[in-house]
Amino acid sequence: MPLLKSPSFSRKSTLNLSGSFWDPPNYKDTTKRVEDGEKLVRDFVQMVEERRDIEKDYAKQLQAWSDKWMKVQEYGTMETAWRAVAMEGVKRASVHLAVREDVDNQVVEPMRVWHKDTYHRQRNQLREKKELGEQFKTAQKEWAELLNKQTTAKTEYLAACKEEERAVKAEREATKNPDLSQSQVTKMQDKIKNVHQNVKTSKDEYNTYLQKLRENQNSYQQGMIQAFKKFEELEEKRSQTLKMYMLQLQDCLNVHRTMDLPTIYSESRDIINQVDHKQDLHWWADNHGVNMEHVLPHFQEYSGKRQRLSTSSNSKEDIKETINTSSGTSLKVPDHQSTSQKTNSTKVRAQYQYKRVEHDELSFDAGDVIELVEDADNLGWCKGKIGETEGYFPANYCGPLQ
């Protein structure tokens, strides 16, 4: 795969230069760059803000995807694996929300502060551009005046030369004309003398201003260089700051720098690898299939009294939760018991291993004794604890303590 090359720097600027930097008033291209640089800083902040919001939107989509697919009718170890797949979206969303916060705190906000401290606007005009322009204008003032006078002297000299050329031509033609009087010839000769004198005078003035420009060149360049150094300092500061925050942005967006990302997928794979179709089918047979107790109706004598439909001392309304076991028996937790009574007296034994998917769940191995804290909800999840560790777990993974 070919290596990508850095873009080469071109000396052809997008600015419309009409001449050299040293020619008045071409320094304005440099002062305009200060304003353009300030706008680019604002554009960079906007670009990063848009990238930051992409992380937020992606996290929102991941969360919605997880919420949608978490609610399915699976059972046993496959239910746990399914939930692990769906939970990847939640965990990945938390990573991208963290990226969003990092970008905001480490790039966007610091760049806003730096921009506010570096650039200042007064009456919709950038102060840094105005001050730099005034410094260039001051350094160029004397040179610009001399240059204008030199240009005027040059124009006058060239015009005198052209007039001299016409006068000499006219005299040459006059000498061939015998009809001209002596006074006319004398008048023409006087005009030629005046033209020659104008050429000499304008040429001397032209050379005088050229000499003054040569004498003034060093001080002019020094003043312009000092002003240009101020521009370089501001531009260097802007370039270094943008570079620093561009690199910071790459660090923030690099999700692989956090240990959370590989952990998400390693944990999910561990849970998915625990899928055991034999164990799941055994559980289904115990709770919904052929291993359930088959109770036949028996003959009941008429006693002359109204018969109770339930043989238990507690009616169906009195029972709040039933935890099914593989043997077909059940552990009933009467609703009239207080929560503290259930917590102190009700314990169950894990019949299957369960590894938590979310942080508020309880992991356990087959055979562990779990103390019930809360009854199962309508989705079949209890809350219990082992030692000091407390969390939720699927009720159908446990049976009564025997």
Side-chain angles (χ1 to χ4, degrees), residues 41-102:
V41 171
R42 288 186 282 114
D43 288 345
F44 177 73
V45 173
Q46 181 181 353
M47 177 175 69
V48 177
E49 287 176 333
E50 291 178 1
R51 183 64 180 84
R52 173 202 63 189
D53 293 341
I54 289 174
E55 294 295 317
K56 179 181 177 181
D57 294 340
Y58 184 41
K60 186 177 180 180
Q61 291 177 355
L62 287 170
Q63 183 66 57
W65 174 82
S66 292
D67 292 343
K68 174 183 177 181
W69 292 107
M70 188 72 74
K71 303 171 183 177
V72 295
Q73 297 299 320
E74 266 293 355
Y75 67 95
T77 59
M78 181 55 73
E79 178 187 7
T80 306
W82 185 289
R83 294 177 66 241
V85 172
M87 277 299 298
E88 178 271 341
V90 176
K91 295 176 181 179
R92 185 71 186 244
S94 67
V95 171
H96 288 279
L97 285 176
V99 169
R100 189 258 182 207
E101 291 300 316
D102 288 345

Side-chain angles (χ1 to χ4, degrees), residues 285-388:
D286 288 347
N287 291 274
H288 301 284
V290 296
N291 290 344
M292 295 185 70
E293 183 180 2
H294 188 186
V295 181
L296 292 173
H298 60 278
F299 182 81
Q300 186 174 9
E301 290 286 352
Y302 175 73
S303 63
K305 298 180 180 180
R306 186 175 180 177
Q307 302 294 312
R308 293 179 60 85
L309 297 178
S310 174
T311 59
S312 171
S313 60
N314 298 314
S315 66
K316 184 177 180 181
E317 290 75 11
D318 293 330
I319 305 302
K320 185 175 182 181
E321 189 56 60
T322 299
I323 303 179
N324 295 322
T325 69
S326 60
S327 62
T329 60
S330 62
L331 174 64
K332 300 179 180 179
V333 183
D335 187 55
H336 61 266
Q337 286 185 326
S338 67
T339 301
S340 61
Q341 287 175 324
K342 286 183 282 186
T343 301
N344 294 332
S345 61
T346 305
K347 294 183 179 180
V348 295
R349 186 180 301 279
Q351 294 186 330
Y352 309 100
Q353 181 191 50
Y354 180 75
K355 188 172 183 178
R356 71 177 188 176
V357 177
E358 299 184 35
H359 69 278
D360 61 348
E361 295 179 359
L362 183 67
S363 296
F364 49 77
D365 294 321
D368 287 350
V369 176
I370 304 172
E371 183 178 350
L372 289 181
V373 176
E374 293 181 7
D375 292 331
D377 56 20
N378 56 0
L379 295 178
W381 286 82
C382 292
K383 188 174 185 180
K385 66 179 182 178
I386 300 175
E388 298 300 323

Side-chain angles (χ1 to χ4, degrees), residues 78-138:
M78 181 55 73
E79 178 187 7
T80 306
W82 185 289
R83 294 177 66 241
V85 172
M87 277 299 298
E88 178 271 341
V90 176
K91 295 176 181 179
R92 185 71 186 244
S94 67
V95 171
H96 288 279
L97 285 176
V99 169
R100 189 258 182 207
E101 291 300 316
D102 288 345
V103 171
D104 201 42
N105 296 331
Q106 299 179 29
V107 182
V108 174
E109 290 304 324
M111 277 297 298
R112 285 175 178 167
V113 173
W114 184 85
H115 175 269
K116 183 178 180 181
D117 293 341
T118 305
Y119 298 101
H120 308 85
R121 286 198 172 272
Q122 297 174 340
R123 297 179 181 178
N124 203 31
Q125 187 176 11
L126 195 63
R127 189 177 75 189
E128 286 70 27
K129 175 187 176 184
K130 180 181 178 182
E131 291 176 350
L132 183 62
E134 290 174 349
Q135 188 173 350
F136 274 124
K137 188 176 181 179
T138 300

